């Protein structure tokens, strides 16, 4: 009997193409659009995003080169006449030429040179999306790595992990730059580019860390989660609307006449919604994995988070169904589907991360069901464990219980015309 | 036996049902006849335990069901006035769903569905979503769903509204057969007096929330049996003629439609000696006249001064 109620609900959803389109088609389309748009950003086709990068040097590359030639020139057989050629292959010069001064890059990359003393303040200020730091001894280490086969120097990059999208872009740029740099050297080694002399292989490895020492989240992953937690909320309006239709068409009367307790009916609504919502997220996650190569760490944490947000969605659906029944109108759940979801999505950070623009509002967002779930997913993506997502899970748990209680209090105990 | 005692339902502004008494015994067909807004559906909703009455009681075998509706629900089938079906599901799926929520075991349900489909004459297109059905087919399925748990009593709220005459006849036959073969007691609600007259053993006539007449159709017609209806056809309409006719005092319920005039007189009144002199005085030719036996429609007209349908 109980199963029949749930089975019926699944069939109804399966038979309504428009609902399926909103619940599955739309998020997939949006993730794709955003994913590809941000992907092409790296080819310089988009000006949608402005990324602010701070660039700090602890040493002047050219001065360091001259010092190097003066001190160790004899040892490695380098004369002053080779200075111009060497200058051209210095990594920072290349970085400036290839990236910072690149016309395509400058359309969305805004580089500010700061002094090393300003680094600490820059990290705190939240102004920059990324800070690239050239440590002292970087040039010498680089030259040594060429002439002595020493280890390649490290270029530290600090990413502001409050600005996921931007930092991901920066990481991609640096990776590309590094790739090109290595490639150029490899080509030189093969004698495929003209040089005054053959340059031994050199590598610059950039060590990327976020300010909190976490891994950054890729753009596609970010939008997969944020679209997921937004579209999961659409179940509320959809299912509560269907539930009202059952009242309006006196199907609910038939259910009551079959001696089914209204509470059981409500529980069936909740369980079907939880099931459908989890299924939706599963499909989105698989899609993100197959198409955008989003990878997931500990799946159990994802399941727990998904289950909790689905519970909240189930609870909200029950509340809206109860309100629809009480006021004999579908306007409450329609309003939810048309406006409240969008507001929640905005607050919860589904469109863009609010924390850098309006930190106070962003904090409210953590208490929206979708916001809490999104934070939980992002934390797991960054290598967080159960303890770290606990605050978000608790928020979701409290919300779910609250909604269940409200729903059962409001839901009418009888059917009929009144 | 189901009994309804002094049943009243008030909504904010209207008293939809006002002190209604009625009963139905196993195996009989009872008609509930009344115009739009009479309070039929509200009465039915209370009898089916779906809304609480403002006052009064509903008894099943002398026990009130208001606090414990389960006993009544188990023996009661309800065919709502609206098509209470899932339009996206097929007939088969609808029957399976409503059967399952009645906790009919799987194997039994399969048998029941077969039987019901036979009863309502719906054996084709079972795999088509209900939304693609004709109005008549939907109505039949709407009835079928209420029969799955083999109810002893069946309440039907205007089951023939908005369908073609053929489907309507089919449904009337189905109701008759259901009563004969399965001995199901039926409360049949309608505003078509022909339907009620054809089907029902006893009839309640309802208007403005109240039962205004009750009994077998013979008994109800006997309300008018002391009267007969006379129809006159005149050569032309004449206002002074009608006015003088009214002054005679022995006539009631005069209806004038241009040159057609109808009125009621006491059964043994000789009406021609009244009418003919009047015709002469006003210079009007009486083309024909017709004496009519009363119908339920006339009874309703007599009791309320209004026609059952407009
Ligand atoms: N929920 C309600 N709230 C307020 N008034 C109501 C409600 N339900 C019914 N009424 C009123 O009660 C009266 C009786 O309505 P009801 O539906 O019982 O009539 P009915 O005899 O079934 O009419 P119909 O032939 O049109 O179905 C009407 O005046 C109607 O407007
Ligand atoms: Mg009605």
């Amino acid at each position: 009997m109980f199963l029949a109620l749930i089975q019926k609900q699944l069939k109804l959803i399966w038979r309504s193409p428009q609902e399926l389109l909103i619940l599955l088609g739309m998020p997939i389309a949006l993730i794709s659009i955003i994913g590809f748009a941000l992907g092409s950003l790296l080819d310089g086709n988009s000006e949608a995003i402005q990324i602010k990068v701070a660039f700090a040097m602890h040493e002047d590359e050219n001065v360091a080169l001259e010092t190097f030639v003066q001190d160790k020139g004899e040892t490695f057989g380098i004369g002053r006449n080779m200075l111009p050629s060497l200058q051209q292959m210095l990594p920072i010069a290349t970085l400036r030429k290839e990236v910072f001064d690149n016309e395509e890059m400058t359309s969305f990359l805004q580089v500010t040179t700061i002094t090393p003393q300003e680094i600490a303040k820059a990290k705190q200020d939240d102004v920059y999306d990324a800070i690239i730091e050239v440590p002292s001894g970087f040039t010498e280490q680089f030259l040594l790595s060429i002439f002595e086969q020493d280890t390649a120097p490290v270029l530290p990059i600090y990413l502001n992990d409050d600005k996921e999208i931007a930092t991901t872009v920066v990481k991609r740029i640096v990776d590309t730059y590094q790739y090109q740099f290595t490639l150029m050297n490899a080509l030189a080694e093969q004698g495929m580019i003209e040089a005054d002399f053959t340059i031994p292989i050199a590598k610059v490895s950039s060590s990327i860390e976020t300010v909190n020492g976490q891994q950054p989240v890729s753009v596609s992953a970010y939008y997969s989660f944020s679209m997921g937690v937004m579209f999961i909320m659409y179940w509320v309006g959809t299912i509560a609307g269907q539930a009202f239709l059952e009242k309006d068409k006196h199907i609910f009367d038939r259910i009551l006449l079959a001696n089914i307790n209204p509470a059981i009916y409500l529980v069936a609504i909740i369980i079907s919604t939880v099931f459908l919502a989890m299924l939706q997220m599963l499909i989105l996650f698989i899609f993100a994995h197959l198409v955008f190569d989003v990878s997931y760490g500990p799946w159990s944490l994802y399941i727990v988070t998904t289950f909790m947000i689905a519970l909240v969605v189930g609870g909200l659906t029950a509340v809206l169904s109860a309100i629809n029944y009480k006021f004999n109108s579908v306007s409450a759940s329609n309003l939810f589907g048309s406006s409240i979801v969008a507001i929640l999505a905005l607050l919860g950070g589904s469109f863009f991360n609010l924390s850098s623009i309006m930190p106070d509002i962003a904090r409210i967002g953590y208490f929206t069901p979708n916001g809490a779930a999104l934070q939980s997913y992002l934390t797991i993506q960054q290598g967080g464990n159960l303890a770290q997502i606990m605050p978000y899970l608790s928020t979701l748990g409290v919300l779910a219980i609250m909604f269940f209680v409200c729903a059962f209090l409001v839901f009418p105990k009888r059917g009929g015309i009144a | 036996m189901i009994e309804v005692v002094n049943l009243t339902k008030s909504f904010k502004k209207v008293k939809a049902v006002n002190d209604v008494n009625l009963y139905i015994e196993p195996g009989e067909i009872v008609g509930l006849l009344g115009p739009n807004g009479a309070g039929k559906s509200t009465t039915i909703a209370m009898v089916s335990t779906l809304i609480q009455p403002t006052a009064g009681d509903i008894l099943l075998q002398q026990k009130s069901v208001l606090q414990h509706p389960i006993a009544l629900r188990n023996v009661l089938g309800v065919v709502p006035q609206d098509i209470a079906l899932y339009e996206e599901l097929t007939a088969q799926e609808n029957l399976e769903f409503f059967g399952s929520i009645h906790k009919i075991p799987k194997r039994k349900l399969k048998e029941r569905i077969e039987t019901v489909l036979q009863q309502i004459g719906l054996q084709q297109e079972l795999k088509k979503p209900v939304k693609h059905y004709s109005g008549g087919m939907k109505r039949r399925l709407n009835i079928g769903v209420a029969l799955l748990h083999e109810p002893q009593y069946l309440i039907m709220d205007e089951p023939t509204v908005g369908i073609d005459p053929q489907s309507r006849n089919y449904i009337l036959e189905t109701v008759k057969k259901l009563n004969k073969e399965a001995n199901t007691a039926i409360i049949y609600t309608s505003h078509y007096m022909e339907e009620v007259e054809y089907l029902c053993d006893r009839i309640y006539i309802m208007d403005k929330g109240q039962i205004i007449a009750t009994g077998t159709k013979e008994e109800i017609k006997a309300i008018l049996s002391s009267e007969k209806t006379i129809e006159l056809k005149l050569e032309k309409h004449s206002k002074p003629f009608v006015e003088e006719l009214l002054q005679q005092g022995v006539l009631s319920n005069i209806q004038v439609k241009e040159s057609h005039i109808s009125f009621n007189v006491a059964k043994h009144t000789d009406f021609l000696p009244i009418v003919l002199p009047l015709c002469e005085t006003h210079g009007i030719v009486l083309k024909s006249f017709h004496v009519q036996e009363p119908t339920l429609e006339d009874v309703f007209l007599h009791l309320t001064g209004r026609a059952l349908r407009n």
Side-chain angles (χ1 to χ4, degrees):
Chain A
M1 169 271 288
F2 196 70
L3 277 179
L5 284 168
I6 290 170
Q7 196 185 17
K8 171 261 307 174
Q9 190 69 62
L10 303 190
K11 272 186 193 161
L12 289 182
I13 289 293
W14 185 242
R15 303 271 165 87
S16 39
Q18 302 104 309
E19 307 291 4
L20 280 181
L21 196 69
I22 291 179
L23 290 159
L24 281 175
M26 286 270 283
I28 286 179
L30 280 175
I31 296 169
S32 307
I33 290 167
I34 294 168
F36 287 122
L38 290 182
S40 68
L41 187 90
L42 296 175
D43 304 328
N45 291 336
S46 169
E47 301 181 5
I49 289 184
Q50 271 292 325
I51 299 161
K52 290 185 177 160
V53 178
F55 187 68
M57 289 180 298
H58 289 271
E59 63 173 18
D60 185 326
E61 214 179 20
N62 289 323
V63 175
L65 175 65
E66 268 188 52
T67 319
F68 183 82
V69 172
Q70 232 159 45
D71 294 356
K72 308 205 167 126
E74 270 186 46
T75 330
F76 296 113
I78 311 169
R80 287 196 66 85
N81 59 332
M82 289 166 76
L83 266 177
S85 322
L86 280 172
Q87 260 165 12
Q88 274 182 22
M89 51 167 281
L90 286 174
I92 301 306
T94 316
L95 181 66
R96 279 180 185 276
K97 200 171 79 203
E98 297 292 326
V99 181
F100 294 172
D101 296 335
N102 181 316
E103 229 174 82
E104 282 169 0
M105 293 281 188
T106 48
S107 63
F108 63 90
L109 204 63
Q110 185 191 335
V111 181
T112 314
T113 308
I114 60 172
T115 65
Q117 289 75 34
E118 289 171 310
I119 291 176
K121 189 168 174 297
K123 279 185 195 171
Q124 273 177 359
D125 274 357
D126 233 10
V127 175
Y128 298 106
D129 301 297
I131 303 165
I132 300 176
E133 192 179 352
V134 182
S136 56
F138 181 82
T139 312
E140 187 185 14
Q141 184 63 33
F142 169 75
L143 292 166
L144 283 174
S145 77
I146 294 175
F147 294 105
E148 260 194 335
Q149 313 286 305
D150 205 339
T151 48
V154 170
L155 187 65
I157 297 173
Y158 294 94
L159 298 181
N160 185 340
D161 59 356
D162 279 336
K163 303 183 175 180
E164 282 91 342
I165 317 161
T167 54
T168 310
V169 176
V170 172
K171 180 177 169 346
R172 289 279 290 273
I173 293 170
V174 172
D175 285 348
T176 313
Y177 153 69
Q178 189 185 325
Y179 172 71
Q180 282 175 350
F181 197 77
T182 315
L183 181 75
M184 216 173 68
N185 285 332
L187 291 175
E189 196 187 21
Q190 305 287 316
M192 291 173 79
I193 48 174
E194 279 185 1
D196 284 358
F197 62 95
T198 313
I199 314 165
I201 304 166
K203 287 192 190 77
V204 178
S205 75
S206 55
S207 81
I208 295 196
E209 49 177 308
T210 55
V211 175
N212 294 335
Q214 295 164 328
Q215 299 158 9
V217 177
S218 76
V219 183
S220 305
Y222 183 88
Y223 275 101
S224 301
F225 293 124
S226 63
M227 289 298 117
V229 298
M230 172 168 148
F231 278 90
I232 203 174
M233 308 289 279
Y234 278 105
W235 287 111
V236 176
T238 302
I239 304 225
Q242 281 187 353
F244 180 71
L245 208 63
E246 292 183 327
K247 183 189 181 188
D248 202 39
K249 299 187 73 184
H250 296 268
I251 292 174
F252 183 64
D253 287 352
R254 290 202 143 140
I255 293 176
L256 285 180
L257 286 169
N259 277 322
I260 299 213
N261 192 314
I264 301 264
Y265 172 76
L266 210 50
V267 171
I269 287 183
I270 294 172
I271 293 182
S272 333
T273 310
V274 168
F275 176 81
L276 287 166
M278 289 188 77
L279 190 67
Q280 177 195 31
M281 290 303 258
L282 179 71
I283 293 172
L284 290 188
F285 286 0
I286 290 175
F287 172 81
H289 175 71
L290 293 181
V291 177
F292 292 106
D293 222 16
V294 173
S295 55
Y296 309 101
W299 55 269
S300 56
L301 295 185
Y302 287 99
I303 288 184
V304 173
T305 305
T306 308
F307 178 68
M308 292 307 289
I309 177 72
L311 266 190
V312 177
V313 171
L316 261 176
T317 307
V319 171
L320 266 297
S321 305
I323 294 175
N324 280 350
Y325 270 65
K326 181 123 193 147
F327 294 102
N328 210 13
S329 145
V330 77
S331 42
S333 64
N334 280 351
L335 179 75
F336 190 92
S338 59
S339 324
I340 299 182
V341 170
I343 295 171
L344 286 175
L346 184 69
L347 286 176
S350 279
F351 298 132
F352 47 83
N353 204 318
L354 277 176
S355 55
S356 46
I357 314 164
M358 293 174 279
D360 293 332
I361 294 181
R363 219 157 292 129
I364 299 173
Y366 291 166
F367 293 98
T368 62
N370 49 317
L374 179 59
Q375 289 311 316
S376 183
Y377 285 131
L378 294 178
T379 308
I380 307 167
Q381 271 278 306
Q382 293 175 328
N385 55 27
L386 186 61
Q388 282 167 301
I389 61 169
M390 220 18 142
Y392 308 121
L393 295 185
S394 317
T395 304
L396 292 173
V398 170
L399 286 174
I401 291 169
M402 223 171 69
F403 291 143
F404 291 157
V405 172
C406 285
F408 284 99
L409 288 181
V410 175
F411 199 74
K413 304 295 177 282
R414 276 175 186 260
I417 15 188
Chain B
M1 182 165 81
I2 300 175
E3 282 172 279
V4 168
V5 187
N6 300 335
L7 203 63
T8 298
K9 180 76 191 180
S10 305
F11 295 111
K12 269 161 221 141
K13 284 181 215 131
V14 276
K15 211 167 196 177
V17 176
N18 190 358
D19 204 23
V20 162
N21 288 284
L22 52 86
Y23 69 91
I24 177 165
E25 282 185 284
E28 64 173 344
I29 307 187
V30 170
L32 187 57
L33 182 68
N36 288 124
K40 304 181 299 289
S41 294
T42 309
T43 304
I44 280 180
M46 288 189 282
V47 176
S48 7
T49 74
L50 287 170
I51 61 173
Q52 286 277 22
T54 312
D57 206 350
I58 294 146
L59 310 173
L60 175 68
Q61 328 288 29
Q62 272 94 53
K63 277 203 249 31
S64 172
V65 299
L66 291 186
Q67 296 313 314
H68 307 283
I70 292 183
L72 178 55
R73 286 177 183 176
N74 284 337
V75 296
L76 186 72
V78 179
V79 181
Q81 187 170 348
D82 307 275
I83 306 284
L85 300 168
Y86 291 105
E87 300 262 339
E88 267 71 31
L89 303 188
T90 65
Q92 180 81 29
E93 287 169 331
N94 268 290
L95 289 165
E96 279 168 5
F97 170 72
F98 289 108
S100 309
I101 61 171
H102 274 285
K103 303 177 191 79
I104 304 171
K106 257 218 159 72
R107 194 168 304 157
K108 175 91 193 290
L109 180 57
K110 226 178 138 196
E111 280 172 34
R112 282 301 303 154
I113 290 178
E114 299 244 318
T115 314
V116 164
L117 286 174
Q118 217 157 18
Q119 283 171 323
I120 59 174
L122 198 73
Q123 267 132 333
Q124 277 126 43
E125 307 185 83
L126 294 177
K127 302 264 186 281
K128 230 166 67 170
V130 170
K131 64 177 168 198
H132 297 315
Y133 278 16
S134 70
M137 288 166 82
K138 286 183 192 177
R139 284 275 159 206
R140 280 191 254 168
L141 186 60
N142 202 34
I143 296 171
V145 165
L147 300 176
L148 286 168
H149 62 298
E150 298 179 82
Q152 227 179 307
Y153 297 89
L154 185 67
I155 303 186
M156 307 178 91
D157 195 352
E158 304 195 25
T160 58
V161 163
I163 54 174
D164 57 288
Q166 211 178 332
S167 298
R168 183 171 160 191
N169 287 341
Y170 195 96
I171 288 179
L172 293 182
E173 290 316 313
T174 306
V175 173
K176 260 227 146 99
K177 233 170 42 191
L178 209 61
N179 174 255
K180 276 225 177 72
E181 288 167 14
N183 200 33
T184 313
I186 296 166
I187 299 183
Y188 190 95
T189 302
S190 177
H191 53 228
Y192 295 107
M193 59 113 194
E194 323 84 83
E195 290 186 355
V196 172
E197 203 167 344
Y198 173 66
L199 286 175
C200 303
D201 306 315
R202 286 190 303 113
I203 298 164
Y204 292 91
I205 299 185
M206 198 170 182
D207 187 44
K208 297 185 175 162
Q210 287 178 308
I211 303 284
I212 54 172
T214 168
T216 62
K217 35 185 185 236
E218 289 75 24
E219 283 166 351
I220 289 187
K221 283 182 184 173
I223 295 173
L224 286 188
S225 66
S226 54
E227 294 187 342
K228 56 189 173 189
T229 303
I230 315 293
E231 273 181 31
L232 306 178
K233 194 163 178 227
L234 305 177
E235 195 188 38
K236 62 176 200 270
H237 174 67
S238 158
K239 217 174 170 187
F241 173 83
V242 174
E243 272 165 13
E244 200 162 332
L245 197 62
L246 267 170
Q247 282 164 15
Q248 300 303 312
V250 287
L251 320 171
S252 61
N253 266 324
I254 297 198
Q255 309 245 315
V256 182
K257 241 186 219 162
E258 297 186 353
S259 56
H260 287 261
I261 299 175
S262 76
F263 54 85
N264 292 353
V265 289
K267 200 161 196 170
H268 303 293
T269 312
D270 239 347
F271 68 95
L272 282 178
I274 304 172
V275 171
L276 289 177
L278 278 177
C279 286
E280 220 158 291
T281 354
H282 293 278
I284 286 172
V285 180
L286 177 63
K287 286 179 81 177
S288 68
F289 66 87
H290 179 67
V291 184
Q292 215 182 30
E293 281 296 300
T295 63
L296 287 180
E297 193 92 44
D298 299 321
V299 177
F300 189 81
L301 193 66
H302 171 78
L303 292 173
T304 66
R306 287 175 291 124
L308 195 51
R309 270 171 289 134
N310 30 35

